[in-house]
Amino acid sequence: MGRVRSTIYNQLTAPAVRRFAMLIVNCLFSLTLLTVTSTHRAPAQTGLHGALEMTWQQGPDVLDRRGVAGPFVGVVESKLIVAGGANFPNALPWNGGQKVWYDRVWFLDDNSDWSEIGKLPTTLGYGVSITTSAGLICIGGSNADAHVADVVRLSIEAGAVRTEKLPALPHPIANACGVLIEDTVYVAGGLLDAQSKQALKTFYAFDLSAQESQWKELPTWPGPPRMLAVAAELEQQFYLISGVDLTDNVSVNAQRRYLNDAYRFHPRSGWEQIADLPSAVAAAPSPAIVNGSQLLIIGGDDGRHVGFQPPDQHPGFSNRILVYDVRTNKWSEAGEAPVATVTTSCVPWAGAWWFPTGEIRPGVRSPELWQLRLAPKL
């Protein structure tokens, strides 16, 4: 940390300016919420909004030192919430380890470390997370027994988590994606059960403002079925990006087909295809980051290392940052992120975008928490 301070100090010239700047730097380093292990500046991206500066900072690790994949993530009562998820606590899968799902609910506020404040109704992960003003909605998912159709809303009362059942999905779904647009929750794709040899091509909506609302099935996108896609909401439209389809093979498990197509849905005009991505971003943190007229996707599984051997030397998933500009209908690269996790969520909180825990290579999780702040470069 001292080297970081020295670098900042030595870049300044006038003594008075140095003294004032050093005072500011010391104050910033005394903040207790985040233990900043590194700050990364992505290459500036010049677009409709000019050069964009990306500042990454690392926060306190989640409470399980192994980390989890597929947790529900959101914000409740100004607290960052991470609930459920799964990992391999005893051995990695290629060494015979079994996946274990959890029901723990952790929270982080703006002046403390993580705390456990309750439990989900059951062990669960790999569902869709939707932050609302009334709480975090956890949609579908899976556990060791089955995929589920359950929908619950988490809130906090008297310092403890409270769960409320909402109408269930029409059928079980895991590995789907979704967003909230105004008062309506949208959920697309996913997988019906662990034995399925085909991904789902389903699109559901749930109106939170309606009395006795139920899930409504909507027309689907023109492309193939998919799971592990990235969702986004931009200008009150739903974006469905990348993911994987499954190819039926009767002799072995269904094989993944990585997709680089993308679509958007307008509630009044329906679906349209947008430009293809340069590569797949399956299971990248979802929803995508919104920055003006742009969507940013951090990393994802591009399929390049499927079946990598030996598995304990897998190089990890992509850490490229892809940017989609709605005005030009083009994708571009904006450098690399210091984090490359998949099967986790991205959530706006406290002026930044947050990426808690997740999977860094097949079977291996990370307990790290990262935040990304965006600002025009002056």
Side-chain angles (χ1 to χ4, degrees):
M1 194 64 73
R3 289 195 299 272
V4 176
R5 271 192 286 239
S6 296
T7 299
I8 298 172
Y9 182 83
N10 291 334
Q11 289 176 346
L12 300 169
T13 54
V17 174
R18 286 203 299 268
R19 287 194 296 273
F20 177 76
M22 204 59 197
L23 175 63
I24 298 298
V25 169
N26 284 325
C27 290
L28 291 173
F29 275 81
S30 69
L31 295 175
T32 58
L33 170 60
L34 294 174
T35 303
V36 180
T37 59
S38 59
T39 300
H40 300 256
R41 305 284 184 185
Q45 155 123 11
T46 302
L48 294 173
H49 297 280
L52 184 66
E53 186 175 64
M54 303 181 188
T55 302
W56 291 90
Q57 291 181 315
Q58 189 176 352
D61 290 355
V62 298
L63 293 179
D64 188 327
R65 61 180 176 80
R66 293 170 293 256
V68 294
F72 295 95
V73 179
V75 176
V76 180
E77 298 292 336
S78 300
K79 296 175 174 60
L80 184 64
I81 300 291
V82 173
N87 61 24
F88 293 86
N90 300 314
L92 291 169
W94 51 87
N95 294 325
Q98 297 298 309
K99 184 183 288 188
V100 174
W101 280 258
Y102 300 96
D103 59 3
R104 306 168 301 199
V105 179
W106 301 321
F107 85 91
L108 178 73
D109 63 22
D110 60 359
N111 60 5
S112 71
D113 209 334
W114 290 97
S115 300
E116 186 170 336
I117 58 169
K119 306 287 186 183
L120 294 170
T122 184
T123 57
L124 199 61
Y126 304 97
V128 176
S129 306
I130 302 290
T131 293
T132 73
S133 59
L136 171 61
I137 300 178
C138 305
I139 302 169
S142 67
N143 56 32
D145 299 320
H147 291 190
V148 304
D150 299 339
V151 179
V152 299
R153 179 161 47 204
L154 306 183
S155 57
I156 298 176
E157 292 185 2
V161 67
R162 176 181 178 270
T163 60
E164 172 192 1
K165 272 196 166 187
L166 297 180
L169 291 161
H171 52 78
I173 298 178
N175 297 329
C177 66
V179 295
L180 178 68
I181 301 178
E182 294 186 323
D183 292 322
T184 301
V185 176
Y186 294 91
V187 173
L191 198 65
L192 182 64
D193 58 54
Q195 289 72 45
S196 293
K197 293 183 180 293
Q198 185 176 14
L200 291 170
K201 189 174 180 178
T202 54
F203 188 46
Y204 294 110
F206 185 85
D207 186 352
L208 294 171
S209 66
Q211 297 271 345
E212 302 181 6
S213 181
Q214 297 293 322
W215 289 94
K216 179 181 179 182
E217 188 167 4
L218 301 177
T220 59
W221 58 97
R226 67 199 60 217
M227 65 176 188
L228 299 174
V230 177
E233 182 275 324
L234 179 60
E235 298 175 351
Q236 298 185 353
Q237 296 181 83
F238 177 88
Y239 283 74
L240 179 65
I241 302 167
S242 184
V244 297
D245 191 8
L246 297 178
T247 58
D248 192 1
N249 186 325
V250 296
S251 62
V252 295
N253 291 333
Q255 301 298 304
R256 293 184 174 187
R257 179 165 71 97
Y258 286 78
L259 305 171
N260 67 341
D261 55 345
Y263 306 86
R264 67 172 162 238
F265 171 82
H266 193 286
R268 289 192 297 273
S269 57
W271 288 96
E272 65 175 322
Q273 187 167 2
I274 63 172
D276 287 352
L277 289 79
S279 61
V281 292
S286 181
I289 293 171
V290 177
N291 180 62
S293 65
Q294 297 175 328
L295 299 175
L296 283 71
I297 297 179
I298 310 300
D301 182 3
D302 57 17
R304 289 187 303 153
H305 300 301
V306 172
F308 188 94
Q309 295 294 327
D312 60 349
Q313 295 181 26
H314 190 286
F317 301 109
S318 170
N319 67 343
R320 289 190 309 163
I321 302 172
L322 292 182
V323 179
Y324 174 74
D325 195 307
V326 66
R327 300 185 186 183
T328 61
N329 189 31
K330 291 182 179 179
W331 292 91
S332 58
E333 292 190 30
E336 297 179 339
V339 57
T341 50
V342 300
T343 59
T344 189
S345 295
C346 171
V347 59
W349 178 58
W353 295 85
W354 298 75
F355 304 81
T357 189
E359 189 171 355
I360 55 175
R361 62 180 189 271
V364 180
R365 283 64 166 133
S366 168
E368 293 178 352
L369 168 70
W370 286 86
Q371 66 154 303
L372 168 62
R373 292 183 183 272
L374 303 174
K377 189 172 182 180
L378 301 178

